[in-house]
Amino acid sequence: GNEFNPDTDGGEVFKPEKGISAEVGGHYTLNEWVDVNASVFYTSRYNIVKSLGDTTVVVDGSTVTRNIQGQVGRGMSKGFDFEIVVRPLPTLRFTTGLSWAEYRLRQIAESGRFSKYKEENKNVRETGVPRTTFYEYADYTIPTGVLKNLSFQLSGNFKDKVFSDIKERIYTPALWLMDAGIYYTIKGHVNLALNINNLFDKEYFEKTTVLGKPRSYQASVSYTF
């Protein structure tokens, strides 16, 4: 569209972003042993502003680089969430959840000086976020005896591959990590906890060139009045 410099031009810079959103969900309980939660959503946004690249301008006789923001059109996101909780015993619980979501630019303004950007990005899903995530969680508390109120927890989290450049197939690989915890409550007031993150000391990347954290331990003591 029209080009302007917000430092010198007055008035409205961009049209206000607007959109519509819809979500529907449900919950079901079976004999107090099983809980199921599910939802689906759809969102459409208009007048989206994105970074379109850099340009050089002359300011007070010096050449500087400035980022260009553009109102590129309409974007759409959709997805669903599903979770199931199973309690075979009063002190034993298993939780599993799955989420899927994606975001795409659906409509892009045809005019303007960034046609190359527009052609490459229309209908291409968003980078920087996973499309699928999955988690499992289990916890058990000893109900009686000397070790009453001693709890054990084990969790696993899956994250789908995260693209930084879909066209060139550059991405951070999919990842499955597990954590564990031990908790003990003394006379209902003193809480002891030990958490182990990255239980199996898996080597992975947080980003394309940034290594994730190795196995780590965290201990805490708290008192409840």
Side-chain angles (χ1 to χ4, degrees):
N2 297 324
E3 185 177 332
F4 58 86
N5 185 337
D7 292 335
T8 58
D9 296 341
E12 183 182 5
V13 177
F14 291 122
K15 296 179 181 179
E17 183 176 308
K18 60 182 180 179
I20 59 173
S21 179
E23 182 174 2
V24 60
H27 172 83
Y28 178 72
T29 299
L30 175 64
N31 296 329
E32 298 184 356
W33 295 345
V34 178
D35 284 324
V36 178
N37 300 286
S39 65
V40 294
F41 70 89
Y42 174 86
T43 300
S44 185
R45 297 164 55 202
Y46 301 84
N47 299 330
I48 296 171
V49 177
K50 287 184 67 72
S51 173
L52 304 181
D54 296 326
T55 189
T56 56
V57 296
V58 177
V59 179
D60 297 330
S62 300
T63 301
V64 297
T65 300
R66 294 287 176 85
N67 182 253
I68 301 172
Q69 301 288 318
Q71 209 151 27
V72 297
R74 180 173 68 89
M76 178 276 295
S77 60
K78 61 182 179 180
F80 68 85
D81 297 288
F82 178 83
E83 181 184 74
I84 181 169
V85 181
V86 180
R87 294 177 294 274
L89 298 172
T91 57
L92 176 63
R93 181 177 61 180
F94 299 97
T95 303
T96 299
L98 173 68
S99 296
W100 181 90
E102 71 169 18
Y103 173 79
R104 297 174 185 260
L105 287 175
R106 286 301 194 189
Q107 189 178 53
I108 298 177
E110 297 298 332
S111 61
R113 53 183 292 202
F114 297 99
S115 58
K116 181 179 180 181
Y117 165 84
K118 296 165 185 174
E119 291 171 359
E120 290 180 351
N121 288 273
K122 186 175 181 180
N123 286 327
V124 176
R125 69 184 180 91
E126 188 77 351
T127 58
V129 293
R131 184 154 57 175
T132 305
T133 57
F134 174 79
Y135 63 87
E136 288 186 325
Y137 181 87
D139 64 274
Y140 175 70
T141 301
I142 298 176
T144 59
V146 178
L147 298 179
K148 181 181 178 180
N149 296 325
L150 179 64
S151 300
F152 303 90
Q153 297 181 356
L154 183 67
S155 63
N157 292 276
F158 169 80
K159 181 174 67 174
D160 198 3
K161 65 174 76 73
V162 178
F163 280 92
S164 57
D165 189 319
I166 293 179
K167 181 180 179 181
E168 300 296 332
R169 303 295 297 176
I170 300 174
Y171 60 85
T172 303
L175 176 65
W176 172 263
L177 287 180
M178 297 196 70
D179 304 319
I182 302 175
Y183 307 90
Y184 187 54
T185 302
I186 303 174
K187 296 184 178 180
H189 294 288
V190 180
N191 304 295
L192 308 177
L194 174 64
N195 292 288
I196 308 173
N197 301 312
N198 192 1
L199 180 63
F200 297 111
D201 199 22
K202 186 171 184 177
E203 188 175 87
Y204 67 98
F205 286 90
E206 286 280 4
K207 298 180 181 178
T208 306
T209 58
V210 180
L211 278 173
K213 296 180 180 179
R215 181 192 297 124
S216 62
Y217 304 85
Q218 183 180 22
S220 64
V221 179
S222 62
Y223 184 85
T224 304
F225 293 95

